[in-house]
Amino acid sequence: MQPSPESSTDTTNADIETSITEVEQALTAIKQRYAQIESDHQRKIELKHRLEEIRPQLAKNKLPDLQAEIKEIKTQLETIEVNLESQLFTIDVFKEPFWQAVRFGGLGIVVGWILKSCTS
């Protein structure tokens, strides 16, 4: 028994709707990450400017408050750097190329074995 054309169309429509939903979710995630990156860049610039303002004051007066603030600014800058770098290298970026290499590399090996056995 063959499925009716209507049920085939319904399945296709459901697949398209699912794909659209997945794309919308991915786009939303990208927009959120972009906003976070922009915010982190702005915060990084602000912290660097504040650090530049504090250093001359620290050179004149070795106040514990200034030293603590510099330490806190450096910690925040390190955290922002890690957040910005972590987005550049995510596992998801490497998943598809990895599996493509495994698939086609494995296929190449199998074809090579078949050709070698045919020529022997």
PDB file of all heavy atoms in Angstrom, residues 10 13 20 41 80 91-92:
ATOM      1  N   ASP A  10       1.479  16.201   4.144  1.00  0.00           N
ATOM      2  CA  ASP A  10       1.434  16.539   5.569  1.00  0.00           C
ATOM      3  C   ASP A  10       2.784  16.304   6.225  1.00  0.00           C
ATOM      4  O   ASP A  10       3.237  17.111   7.033  1.00  0.00           O
ATOM      5  CB  ASP A  10       0.356  15.716   6.286  1.00  0.00           C
ATOM      6  CG  ASP A  10      -1.058  16.117   5.864  1.00  0.00           C
ATOM      7  OD1 ASP A  10      -1.214  17.231   5.314  1.00  0.00           O
ATOM      8  OD2 ASP A  10      -1.988  15.317   6.095  1.00  0.00           O
ATOM      9  N   ASN A  13       5.149  19.038   5.074  1.00  0.00           N
ATOM     10  CA  ASN A  13       4.842  20.289   5.762  1.00  0.00           C
ATOM     11  C   ASN A  13       5.338  20.267   7.208  1.00  0.00           C
ATOM     12  O   ASN A  13       5.857  21.259   7.701  1.00  0.00           O
ATOM     13  CB  ASN A  13       3.337  20.582   5.726  1.00  0.00           C
ATOM     14  CG  ASN A  13       2.855  21.002   4.347  1.00  0.00           C
ATOM     15  OD1 ASN A  13       3.653  21.411   3.508  1.00  0.00           O
ATOM     16  ND2 ASN A  13       1.562  20.897   4.119  1.00  0.00           N
ATOM     17  N   ILE A  20      11.940  25.107  10.102  1.00  0.00           N
ATOM     18  CA  ILE A  20      11.794  26.547  10.319  1.00  0.00           C
ATOM     19  C   ILE A  20      11.932  26.873  11.808  1.00  0.00           C
ATOM     20  O   ILE A  20      12.598  27.839  12.177  1.00  0.00           O
ATOM     21  CB  ILE A  20      10.451  27.052   9.748  1.00  0.00           C
ATOM     22  CG1 ILE A  20      10.488  27.023   8.222  1.00  0.00           C
ATOM     23  CG2 ILE A  20      10.135  28.457  10.247  1.00  0.00           C
ATOM     24  CD1 ILE A  20       9.154  27.322   7.568  1.00  0.00           C
ATOM     25  N   HIS A  41      32.491  43.439  24.799  1.00  0.00           N
ATOM     26  CA  HIS A  41      33.474  44.342  24.183  1.00  0.00           C
ATOM     27  C   HIS A  41      33.382  45.735  24.807  1.00  0.00           C
ATOM     28  O   HIS A  41      34.408  46.347  25.125  1.00  0.00           O
ATOM     29  CB  HIS A  41      33.257  44.448  22.662  1.00  0.00           C
ATOM     30  CG  HIS A  41      33.882  43.349  21.877  1.00  0.00           C
ATOM     31  ND1 HIS A  41      35.233  43.137  21.828  1.00  0.00           N
ATOM     32  CD2 HIS A  41      33.324  42.385  21.107  1.00  0.00           C
ATOM     33  CE1 HIS A  41      35.483  42.105  21.051  1.00  0.00           C
ATOM     34  NE2 HIS A  41      34.342  41.616  20.615  1.00  0.00           N
ATOM     35  N   ILE A  80      36.143  38.391  30.977  1.00  0.00           N
ATOM     36  CA  ILE A  80      35.596  38.818  29.687  1.00  0.00           C
ATOM     37  C   ILE A  80      36.387  38.200  28.544  1.00  0.00           C
ATOM     38  O   ILE A  80      35.807  37.733  27.558  1.00  0.00           O
ATOM     39  CB  ILE A  80      35.583  40.360  29.589  1.00  0.00           C
ATOM     40  CG1 ILE A  80      34.514  40.923  30.528  1.00  0.00           C
ATOM     41  CG2 ILE A  80      35.330  40.816  28.156  1.00  0.00           C
ATOM     42  CD1 ILE A  80      34.539  42.428  30.658  1.00  0.00           C
ATOM     43  N   ILE A  91      32.603  23.383  20.345  1.00  0.00           N
ATOM     44  CA  ILE A  91      32.589  22.020  19.823  1.00  0.00           C
ATOM     45  C   ILE A  91      31.650  21.913  18.629  1.00  0.00           C
ATOM     46  O   ILE A  91      31.923  21.185  17.673  1.00  0.00           O
ATOM     47  CB  ILE A  91      32.167  21.041  20.934  1.00  0.00           C
ATOM     48  CG1 ILE A  91      33.182  21.049  22.070  1.00  0.00           C
ATOM     49  CG2 ILE A  91      31.984  19.641  20.394  1.00  0.00           C
ATOM     50  CD1 ILE A  91      34.570  20.606  21.664  1.00  0.00           C
ATOM     51  N   ASP A  92      30.538  22.645  18.651  1.00  0.00           N
ATOM     52  CA  ASP A  92      29.570  22.565  17.562  1.00  0.00           C
ATOM     53  C   ASP A  92      30.185  22.933  16.220  1.00  0.00           C
ATOM     54  O   ASP A  92      29.772  22.421  15.184  1.00  0.00           O
ATOM     55  CB  ASP A  92      28.375  23.475  17.841  1.00  0.00           C
ATOM     56  CG  ASP A  92      27.569  23.011  19.037  1.00  0.00           C
ATOM     57  OD1 ASP A  92      27.648  21.808  19.358  1.00  0.00           O
ATOM     58  OD2 ASP A  92      26.879  23.838  19.654  1.00  0.00           O
TER      59      ASP A  92
END
